[in-house]
Amino acid sequence: MEVEITAKINEIFDDCAYRIVLSKAGKGSENKYNKIVLVCKDLYYQAECFTEKQAFHFNYTIDEAVHFCKKMFGIDFLQLNAWSDRWEYQFSVTKKGKVFFKRKQAKSDGVPKRQTEHNRKKKYLLPEGEIIPPLRDMGVITEQGKIISHMQDKYKQINRFLEVIDDAVRSYLYESDQPLKIVDFGCGKSYLTFVLYYYFHEIKHMNVNMTGLDLKEEVIAKCNDTAKKYGYENLTFQVGDIGCYTDSVPADMVITLHACDTATDYALFHAIRWGAGMIFSVPCCQHELNQQFLPQELEIIGRYGIVKERTMALFTDAIRANLLECCGYKTQLLEFVDIENTPKNLLIRAIHRKTEPARIDVMRKYHSGKSHYQEVRELMEKFHLNPTLYKLLAEAGYIKEE
């Protein structure tokens, strides 16, 4: 049943459903809501969750909305209705677990109307046709702001990265009269750093203060020259690594893209040590656990090199996500394609819970009952693993035996 539900919900979202209604509570469900209505707002879904006397509102990215529906339907709710421009969907599960799915041509009247403009042409956070200096110098757009045909994928990928960050910033609480402090570790040539600064400063009109760190002096010198050329006064670059970086103002956001192997662990550790409110990390080359793994109970994984490598990469990021949860972060692993057109990988998005507005997290109750720490310890002991982030956090006293 779970496989069928997953496939059908994917189909509904792939059809750009603009309204989804979850209803008919499941027997024995502990869910406090009578009905949930999700409405597409172009770049995200707004969920309106109804109790007997109140309605609670949450915003979810498209990926989060898909995950949310898969978790809620078939357990807490047995009825799902959805509408797109082409189809009306009726999806239900009986008390005995039998699944019924039907779709029919959408009618022009008698169905819920869109509550927002939802054109087939996707609206991006970086507007098409606008002259954006970093994108122009990257060769993504022309001098007139037109997207170069063979750079369409890169343009979409950059916008996807901004969507992931923007969604987190919208739920992040900070003093509005203070600049949003952002540190980009291992910034390299800083294409994304410049684009992110442009987005916050020129489009969102936010007060931001960004710092890029890298070990290459010539790269940093060029980046500082470029920032001056663009007139980006609050964007600076420094030679150094995250372990030596100090600042009197704690970072609100730490970004680390493609820090190789355990460099990601050190970046995450220092972000936790600083108390960063938001962390965005795209790990790379997760070799450490691949060398430690002893598949005594899962020999099939160790038998094939590529299977072992990919499994250990997933283990690495799952452990990192759980350890961030142990340190007070609400953490997600999102599928992410970077701007260099590399194969799909994962982005770790972690938001410290103390920075979030008070809210009811309706997805959290599906946890297994074990603590995040216990899950990490079990995985480490079963496969003889000793990940760097665990060691760093344990030595610093951030995690301990429960």
Side-chain angles (χ1 to χ4, degrees):
M1 182 177 74
E2 183 178 348
V3 174
E4 185 175 1
I5 288 175
T6 296
K8 296 303 183 184
I9 288 179
N10 285 341
E11 178 182 338
I12 290 170
F13 277 92
D14 287 344
D15 192 30
C16 300
Y18 58 84
R19 182 181 175 89
I20 300 169
V21 178
L22 292 161
S23 59
K24 193 177 180 182
K27 185 177 180 181
S29 169
E30 297 179 1
N31 175 45
K32 64 182 67 176
Y33 300 113
N34 300 326
K35 182 174 73 172
I36 295 178
V37 179
L38 291 95
V39 177
C40 185
K41 301 289 187 179
D42 287 328
L43 296 177
Y44 66 97
Y45 278 86
Q46 183 180 79
E48 188 170 17
C49 305
F50 296 90
T51 65
E52 290 289 345
K53 299 180 180 180
Q54 291 178 287
F56 297 88
H57 295 84
F58 310 106
N59 291 333
Y60 296 116
T61 64
I62 295 175
D63 288 341
E64 289 171 340
V66 173
H67 175 73
F68 176 76
C69 287
K70 290 176 182 177
K71 287 291 186 182
M72 299 296 282
F73 182 67
I75 301 175
D76 288 317
F77 294 103
L78 303 181
Q79 182 76 33
L80 185 153
N81 295 85
W83 293 264
S84 73
D85 286 337
R86 297 186 302 163
W87 302 103
E88 176 182 347
Y89 296 89
Q90 297 177 357
F91 199 9
S92 62
V93 177
T94 68
K95 294 180 180 180
K96 294 184 178 181
K98 191 172 182 180
V99 177
F100 291 93
F101 180 83
K102 182 173 70 174
R103 72 176 189 181
K104 59 183 179 181
Q105 202 75 31
K107 298 179 181 178
S108 58
D109 55 4
V111 297
K113 303 298 182 185
R114 286 184 182 273
Q115 297 182 16
T116 182
E117 182 181 354
H118 189 74
N119 297 329
R120 291 229 173 250
K121 185 177 181 181
K122 182 175 176 64
K123 292 182 179 179
Y124 293 102
L125 295 184
L126 297 176
E128 296 186 51
E130 187 168 317
I131 300 174
I132 302 173
L135 292 185
R136 178 194 61 203
D137 292 349
M138 289 169 62
V140 175
I141 63 174
T142 66
E143 292 288 343
Q144 294 74 37
K146 183 178 179 180
I147 303 169
I148 298 173
S149 58
H150 69 276
M151 302 298 286
Q152 287 282 349
D153 286 342
K154 183 170 288 189
Y155 171 77
K156 293 177 182 177
Q157 290 157 9
I158 292 172
N159 274 276
R160 172 58 179 151
F161 177 75
L162 292 179
E163 287 174 14
V164 170
I165 290 183
D166 182 74
D167 180 67
V169 172
R170 281 191 285 110
S171 66
Y172 179 74
L173 294 182
Y174 69 100
E175 298 295 332
S176 58
D177 59 333
Q178 298 295 321
L180 186 73
K181 177 70 176 179
I182 304 173
V183 177
D184 185 355
F185 168 61
C187 60
K189 295 181 180 179
S190 304
Y191 294 134
L192 277 178
T193 313
F194 286 115
V195 172
L196 188 60
Y197 183 89
Y198 176 91
Y199 175 69
F200 281 136
H201 189 264
E202 302 295 335
I203 296 181
K204 301 273 287 186
H205 304 292
M206 292 176 61
N207 185 9
V208 295
N209 190 323
M210 294 184 64
T211 301
L213 298 173
D214 200 271
L215 295 172
K216 299 177 182 178
E217 293 185 11
E218 65 278 10
V219 170
I220 291 301
K222 184 175 181 179
C223 288
N224 278 318
D225 290 341
T226 302
K228 291 179 181 178
K229 180 180 74 171
Y230 293 159
Y232 294 172
E233 296 180 357
N234 293 326
L235 174 59
T236 59
F237 297 88
Q238 300 179 14
V239 177
D241 62 57
I242 199 167
C244 302
Y245 178 78
T246 59
D247 196 303
S248 58
V249 180
D252 294 295
M253 180 189 302
V254 170
I255 300 172
T256 170
L257 304 180
H258 298 133
C260 190
D261 200 15
T262 57
T264 293
D265 298 299
Y266 284 95
L268 294 177
F269 170 68
H270 288 295
I272 293 169
R273 184 172 59 86
W274 294 339
M278 295 174 282
I279 302 172
F280 300 93
S281 176
V282 178
C284 181
C285 308
Q286 300 99 317
H287 296 314
E288 182 183 36
L289 299 193
N290 193 40
Q291 298 170 349
Q292 299 175 0
F293 178 68
L294 296 176
Q296 295 178 344
E297 296 186 28
L298 289 174
E299 293 183 5
I300 189 172
I301 291 178
R303 185 174 298 123
Y304 308 102
I306 191 169
V307 173
K308 179 184 175 186
E309 179 181 348
R310 292 181 181 179
T311 302
M312 290 304 103
L314 292 173
F315 275 20
T316 300
D317 291 331
I319 289 173
R320 288 167 173 163
N322 262 32
L323 291 175
L324 283 164
E325 289 276 356
C326 291
C327 296
Y329 287 85
K330 178 181 177 181
T331 309
Q332 296 170 294
L333 296 180
L334 306 175
E335 194 171 48
F336 175 72
V337 183
D338 70 23
I339 63 171
E340 296 299 331
N341 291 320
T342 58
K344 290 183 178 181
N345 48 32
L346 295 180
L347 181 146
I348 300 173
R349 179 171 68 182
I351 313 299
H352 204 290
R353 295 185 184 279
K354 70 180 181 182
T355 68
E356 288 191 305
R359 58 178 286 177
I360 300 172
D361 190 339
V362 296
M363 287 190 280
R364 192 163 172 76
K365 70 174 188 164
Y366 290 99
H367 196 261
S368 65
K370 298 178 182 177
S371 72
H372 294 93
Y373 177 83
Q374 288 173 326
E375 290 176 342
V376 170
R377 288 297 310 173
E378 283 187 8
L379 194 63
M380 290 171 57
E381 291 168 5
K382 177 171 284 189
F383 299 112
H384 308 282
L385 306 176
N386 192 19
T388 292
L389 183 58
Y390 180 90
K391 290 184 288 186
L392 292 171
L393 292 173
E395 290 169 2
Y398 284 93
I399 55 175
K400 59 184 178 179
E401 294 283 350
E402 296 183 347

